[in-house]
Amino acid sequence: MDESISQVNGAVQALTQSSDTLFLLLGAIMVFLMHAGFAFLEVGTVRHKNQVNALVKILADFGVSTIAYFFFGYWVAYGQTFFVDAQTLSAGNGYELVKFFFLLTFAAAIPAIVSGGIAERARFYPILIGTFFIVGFIYPLFEGMIWNGNFGLQDWFEATFGAGFHDFAGSVVVHGVGGWIALIAVIFLGMRHGRVRAGKHTNFAPSNIPFLALGAWILSVGWFGFNVMSAQAINGISGLVAMNSLMAMAGGIITAMIVGKNDPGFIHNGPLAGLVAVCAGSDLMHPLGALVTGIVAAAIFVWLFTFMQNRTKIDDVLGVWPLHGVCGAWGGIAAGIFGQQALGGMGGVSLTVQIIGTLAGIAIAVAGSFIVYGIIHKVTGLRLTQEEEYNGADLSIHKISSTSED
């Protein structure tokens, strides 16, 4: 009898391990596909002479990110390496390996975010060098502090305020950090030539709205893997996360349509603003709280991107700082607001902690980006020459155009 029970328990455990591995693998694949969304969003926004470069950068960044995260980043964040035999690595159906893949797709989102801000005038290999150090060291430093309890920050939050910093799917850890890293890179690069004419700002129109829309759709669909699969186990799957993601996305769409005055660029970035913001508290909020979170995020994006493009020297091509950096920071704070039980949330979250944790993420992102891109700027330079920029990154870097001359 005991043997039969043991066999049943063993079979259940094996099935659970297999299910969790498959669940997380599907999430990793969905988030990996989101990188195609980043690529086409950028392709549709930049001018024709930079479309090839947009595609190549995203894929090359992913390759470099994989190497950086495999050898350094995952170890910095979680203290784990892969320098053991394959039999040991594959234990438990290789769940830990799939977990690495899943978290890698998050880490690789950082340079994909940066790519949209620095488009049309950045050199190729210096940016890839920056990607290596950002993904290998800067991003996992904060990732490990929040998602693995490194350096005692979460323990201090819990001991002092009664709750840790809550970021379920990365509003701050991924998007906020990525957006603020991008801001520093954009500042180092400066404005594209031709953006200011006769003392007035000139905005370059998107080159391909259908590609831009395709990128937004791919990202929006993949985001449900980004958020829901952040549970990392099938018994943690939550319909609330899916519902809140949906409501924040819808709020972002409608708000961007209204505030952005039917501009297709804003409308297709609206759902992304809402989804960025809801990541942190998607497992805590009431759907109405998620809706408000998405509404506020989209309004922030439209207003700040418009102001930035027309009134400042910050030439952020895709608006990744307002979209990911600022909306991500809003998401971290929104989790502390709408996660409260008084507002229909699940509770167990502190607004004070959410504010402090968000500011900590911004500080690490800004400081790390300043060090990495600042050194590269001094040593090799980050920017194409004026002639190379005029000819376009496609011809200057890749020696090919996105369209045939025939």
Side-chain angles (χ1 to χ4, degrees), residues 91-104:
N93 299 105
Y95 175 83
E96 289 299 325
L97 301 181
V98 172
K99 180 180 177 181
F100 164 80
F101 181 20
F102 182 69
L103 292 171
L104 163 67

Side-chain angles (χ1 to χ4, degrees), residues 1 6 32 67 104 127 161 210 225 264 308 340 352 375:
M1 183 69 176
S6 179
F32 180 38
I67 299 303
L104 163 67
I127 292 301
F161 301 101
M308 180 182 65
Q340 302 289 342
T352 302
I375 291 174

